[in-house]
Amino acid sequence: MQKLFLALIMVIFMAGTAAAHGNISKLPFSVQILQYKMKLYMNADDLDTINNLAMAYFYSGEMANAKEQLQIVLVADEHNFNALDGMGMVALKEGNNDRALEFLERAQKINEKDMYLLVHLSVAHNNSGQTELAKEEMKKAKSLATDDLDKTWIDNEVKILRPSATPGAKE
């Protein structure tokens, strides 16, 4: 039992950190979910970890669990940028574009120059038939890309946010 506990602690500390978007970790999402649950066991009120857990759920295709975690964050902090952006992402995956725009526009009021958010807004505007606005947001996002990894992430994120796409799957 002690070895199992030590192994779990190692996973927690070796996995790194996450954000509402981008590369969460090099570990599989199932391991990330375990990692964040263990961290929450030690500190249940850590909003960053709750948000990270939500994104691991999102990218593993577990939208209901992602939404549940993001709602916990937003109840505690209705202006949490990462949770607002995350809820927008979930709404996009669910095909609820109007709801996605509500969350993403709230996040934009907090940070209008976040590359990830701009990509999400571009997808939402494109889904709404606002192609010029979508192009404008994507142009801004691409101007913030600092390397080829960012550019690859942008392309992958656009594919992932289609309601029919499976997060975490490679196309």
Side-chain angles (χ1 to χ4, degrees):
M1 183 67 159
Q2 188 177 15
K3 287 182 182 182
L4 175 62
F5 182 74
L6 289 173
L8 290 173
I9 295 298
M10 293 286 290
V11 167
I12 290 169
F13 292 111
M14 292 176 60
T17 61
H21 21 262
N23 295 327
I24 294 174
S25 169
K26 294 187 188 306
L27 294 173
F29 297 114
S30 59
V31 176
Q32 292 178 40
I33 290 167
L34 176 62
Q35 166 199 359
Y36 297 127
K37 284 182 174 182
M38 287 296 299
K39 283 185 80 173
L40 288 170
Y41 179 77
M42 295 184 282
N43 181 4
D45 299 327
D46 183 348
L47 296 182
D48 288 335
T49 300
I50 296 169
N51 191 72
N52 294 342
L53 175 60
M55 289 298 93
Y57 279 134
F58 174 86
Y59 285 107
S60 67
E62 298 181 47
M63 294 307 129
N65 287 332
K67 186 188 287 187
E68 179 183 346
Q69 297 305 309
L70 292 166
Q71 287 172 334
I72 291 169
V73 174
L74 290 173
V75 165
D77 177 6
E78 67 183 281
H79 301 291
N80 185 292
F81 173 81
N82 289 333
L84 291 168
D85 185 37
M87 284 295 272
M89 293 167 64
V90 169
L92 283 170
K93 286 300 300 170
E94 293 176 336
N96 189 343
N97 202 65
D98 291 340
R99 189 79 171 131
L101 278 170
E102 289 176 30
F103 284 110
L104 296 172
E105 288 171 351
R106 283 174 57 194
Q108 189 175 34
K109 289 177 184 174
I110 297 166
N111 183 358
E112 63 185 29
K113 295 183 181 185
D114 182 86
M115 180 183 74
Y116 309 106
L117 174 67
L118 292 168
V119 170
H120 303 154
L121 279 165
S122 176
V123 171
H125 288 307
N126 191 60
N127 292 351
S128 295
Q130 301 171 314
T131 54
E132 289 305 312
L133 192 50
K135 288 178 186 176
E136 185 180 314
E137 299 291 8
M138 186 58 71
K139 183 179 177 183
K140 288 180 200 174
K142 288 183 176 182
S143 74
L144 295 171
T146 58
D147 56 28
D148 288 338
L149 287 176
D150 283 347
K151 293 173 187 171
T152 299
W153 178 88
I154 289 171
D155 293 338
N156 288 336
E157 192 77 352
V158 169
K159 291 175 188 174
I160 286 170
L161 288 173
R162 290 193 314 253
S164 61
T166 302
K170 301 211 190 273
E171 294 192 11

